[in-house]
Amino acid sequence: MKFVDEFRDRAIAERIVKKIKRFDSLKVNLMEVCGTHTMVIFKQGLKGMLPKNVNLLSGPGCPVCVTSQEDIDKTIELAKDENVIIATFGDMVRVPGTNSSLEKERGNGADVRIIYSPSEALRIARENPARRVVFLAIGFETTSPLIAASLLDVQKEKIDNFYIFSSHKLIPPAMEALLESKEVRIDGFICPGHVSVTIGSNAYKFIAQKYNVPCVIGGFEPLDVLQSIYMLLKQIKEKRTEVEIEYFRAVHPQGNRIAQELIDEVFEVSDVMWRGLGTIPKSGLRLKRKFSDFDAEKEFPTKTRKSKENPDCACGEVLRGVKKPTQCKLYRKICTPEEPYGPCMVSSEGTCAAYYKYG
Amino acid sequence: MCLAIPAKILKIEDNLAQVDMAGVKRQADIRMVSNVRVGEYILIHAGFAIEKIGEKDAEETLQLLREII
């Protein structure tokens, strides 16, 4: 496949690794923020190719994983309404809430449908005019413009049985929260390629300038990731702190303006709760007041119950890069992809699932 | 979840394009990418094109990758 195969060349990968090995005097922690990067790193065996002085940490870039327990519980409550059809991306279904999961509710008769694109959620709404469709809108800046576009279509078509449960989150505030906490030393960020398609490299400038941490926006093929690591090491060695774009075949400094305008039209920035990171100011997106008719939380106020995470699940620490999955007492012993206790083991791009499958 | 896959544009009709995604024909919403033409490649995420892939940029990246210092 074009733009894929040529970026997987083994011989070139080995040459980049050789260049990486020249920085053997640097002992660094580099964080890949994006869950899709985590998957590539594990699936393609990149961790094993790197020298010991380069330690990769996985960050809070798996949308399902960072969704708060309270939000998970709310979606489960919504699913119990027999007039509601839940439309969701796949991984959300198996995340254990405090007492149940969407999958369990489906077993009890709830109508939970897994979709690939928000346009499928619209189709479900059109085909079921007597029922109400709630779309679980999770995801970062890559996904929120699509959801905004779909909602504008709903408005235009006057579909009156479609609602959004918005749990959208923004990546740069989470990176800043990690740096502010000083819990882990981060010497460089591999910034998420497809989030950056939307927000552009300029969005990370404050990280490089205020916190003196180099950033490289990387693509998702093995050569892209290795080259991003090389570029970060080069910046560190040369004592530069800049935002560089390795993935410039798709990412531009100013990002995708049309996508940004779609977000701005429909959403506004809000403080939001992240699993593992707590409430981060201005790190979420909620529907603007003029779209409140489509807001599932307003339309279906759920009973507030005390949400609780499993106290033994280390997902929160894993998301902050503080713990490796192997340091969690549930990992592999009782928490497995077949029977996950936390979202990091559920999601295909969760760090625990990546460790389990490829670690 | 932020996965996006390169696809070749086969046909364009208003805001929708027929694309070839790894040999599979699919439909993609292209309202977020401007000035795209048949034969060009776009990145598809959850049924939407999120950006055009710069062919020259891709070639330049490959040249940088092959560089031996």
Side-chain angles (χ1 to χ4, degrees):
Chain A
M1 190 162 63
K2 196 170 169 177
F3 300 119
V4 172
D5 299 335
E6 59 270 48
F7 291 93
R8 294 187 176 179
D9 188 303
R10 191 81 197 171
I12 301 177
E14 277 162 18
R15 286 215 307 257
I16 303 172
V17 170
K18 236 183 217 171
K19 293 200 295 192
I20 288 173
K21 284 183 177 163
R22 284 192 207 143
F23 297 104
D24 55 356
S25 61
L26 301 173
K27 196 168 161 36
V28 294
N29 286 334
L30 306 180
M31 178 173 275
E32 90 272 0
V33 180
C34 175
T36 311
H37 275 142
T38 304
M39 277 314 282
V40 173
I41 288 163
F42 277 88
K43 205 169 167 182
Q44 306 286 340
L46 303 185
K47 233 173 183 162
M49 293 172 82
L50 295 172
K52 285 218 164 66
N53 59 311
V54 179
N55 182 34
L56 293 183
L57 301 170
S58 304
C62 152
V64 173
C65 307
V66 296
T67 301
S68 71
Q69 194 73 345
E70 201 187 331
D71 277 358
I72 300 284
D73 285 342
K74 280 185 189 166
T75 65
I76 293 167
E77 283 303 311
L78 281 172
K80 289 178 184 170
D81 185 330
E82 54 191 35
N83 199 27
V84 164
I85 301 173
I86 298 278
T88 176
F89 295 124
D91 286 343
M92 282 293 274
V93 174
R94 297 186 63 223
V95 178
T98 305
N99 296 308
S100 183
S101 69
L102 287 172
E103 191 177 46
K104 279 187 193 151
E105 292 309 320
R106 186 148 69 170
N108 295 335
D111 196 343
V112 179
R113 305 193 192 179
I114 295 172
I115 53 159
Y116 155 77
S117 166
S119 53
E120 289 169 44
L122 262 67
R123 182 177 47 76
I124 296 172
R126 280 187 214 106
E127 289 172 0
N128 297 275
R131 299 184 66 199
R132 307 207 280 179
V133 175
V134 177
F135 178 64
L136 306 186
I138 63 156
F140 301 120
E141 295 92 329
T142 319
T143 314
S144 43
L146 284 52
I147 310 295
S150 303
L151 197 60
L152 293 171
D153 288 349
V154 166
Q155 200 181 35
K156 208 166 137 194
E157 270 190 58
K158 298 194 167 61
I159 298 175
D160 60 2
N161 60 334
F162 184 90
Y163 305 89
I164 278 180
F165 180 86
S166 180
S167 188
H168 284 300
K169 294 184 174 58
L170 306 170
I171 283 290
M175 291 165 68
E176 184 173 33
L178 285 175
L179 292 171
E180 281 289 342
S181 80
K182 298 189 175 74
E183 233 182 339
V184 198
R185 202 192 79 220
I186 299 167
D187 303 299
F189 280 114
I190 303 173
C191 298
H194 292 142
V195 162
S196 308
V197 162
T198 302
I199 65 177
S201 58
N202 292 342
Y204 306 97
K205 265 190 179 163
F206 76 101
I207 301 266
Q209 287 167 358
K210 186 174 164 197
Y211 297 94
N212 296 316
V213 177
C215 295
V216 172
I217 298 166
F220 293 94
E221 296 306 327
L223 297 189
D224 290 314
V225 176
L226 290 172
Q227 179 75 355
S228 303
I229 293 168
Y230 166 73
M231 288 165 75
L232 279 173
L233 290 166
K234 197 160 183 282
Q235 279 202 47
I236 296 167
K237 180 80 182 171
E238 293 168 1
K239 297 195 172 13
R240 287 183 291 123
T241 49
E242 294 166 19
V243 184
E244 293 180 303
I245 311 174
E246 184 279 333
Y247 195 33
F248 62 89
R249 59 188 183 277
V251 175
H252 309 294
Q254 73 284 4
N256 182 330
R257 288 263 162 81
I258 304 172
Q260 291 164 14
E261 281 163 15
L262 282 167
I263 296 176
D264 287 346
E265 190 168 349
V266 172
F267 294 108
E268 61 191 15
V269 172
S270 64
D271 301 348
V272 78
M273 171 78 115
W274 295 56
R275 184 184 299 264
L277 284 88
T279 300
I280 306 176
K282 296 180 182 164
S283 69
L285 293 176
R286 66 175 172 217
L287 286 170
K288 278 190 171 166
R289 188 174 290 210
K290 59 178 172 176
F291 291 96
S292 60
D293 287 351
F294 304 101
D295 192 336
E297 285 197 81
K298 293 214 169 85
E299 187 66 23
F300 309 89
T302 45
K303 282 168 256 156
T304 41
R305 227 195 283 176
K306 196 113 185 94
S307 290
K308 245 175 45 197
E309 288 176 33
N310 184 321
D312 291 330
C313 170
C315 197
E317 284 115 313
V318 169
L319 290 167
R320 299 199 300 274
V322 179
K323 267 190 186 172
K324 297 207 170 198
T326 45
Q327 293 169 295
C328 171
K329 50 180 162 178
L330 303 182
Y331 176 76
R332 231 175 230 282
K333 291 180 200 93
I334 55 169
C335 182
T336 63
E338 290 73 40
E339 209 177 320
Y341 278 68
C344 300
M345 187 60 98
V346 175
S347 173
S348 56
E349 55 186 36
T351 308
C352 298
Y355 262 76
Y356 190 93
K357 279 189 217 145
Y358 309 106
Chain B
M1 220 192 95
C2 291
L3 195 65
I5 294 166
K8 189 179 183 175
I9 302 177
L10 304 174
K11 213 171 95 185
I12 296 176
E13 227 167 279
D14 299 327
N15 271 341
L16 290 175
Q18 282 277 346
V19 297
D20 176 341
M21 207 160 95
V24 183
K25 270 191 196 168
R26 292 196 97 128
Q27 209 175 42
D29 190 307
I30 53 168
R31 78 182 85 177
M32 291 198 283
V33 290
S34 46
N35 301 322
V36 284
R37 275 178 296 197
V38 170
E40 289 185 318
Y41 281 78
I42 45 184
L43 276 170
I44 311 287
H45 168 67
F48 282 71
I50 57 167
E51 193 51 275
K52 185 158 102 173
I53 305 177
E55 266 203 84
K56 277 193 187 139
D57 296 326
E59 278 162 30
E60 202 182 310
T61 307
L62 283 168
Q63 265 171 24
L64 283 170
L65 293 172
R66 291 194 192 105
E67 210 170 74
I68 308 174
I69 305 168

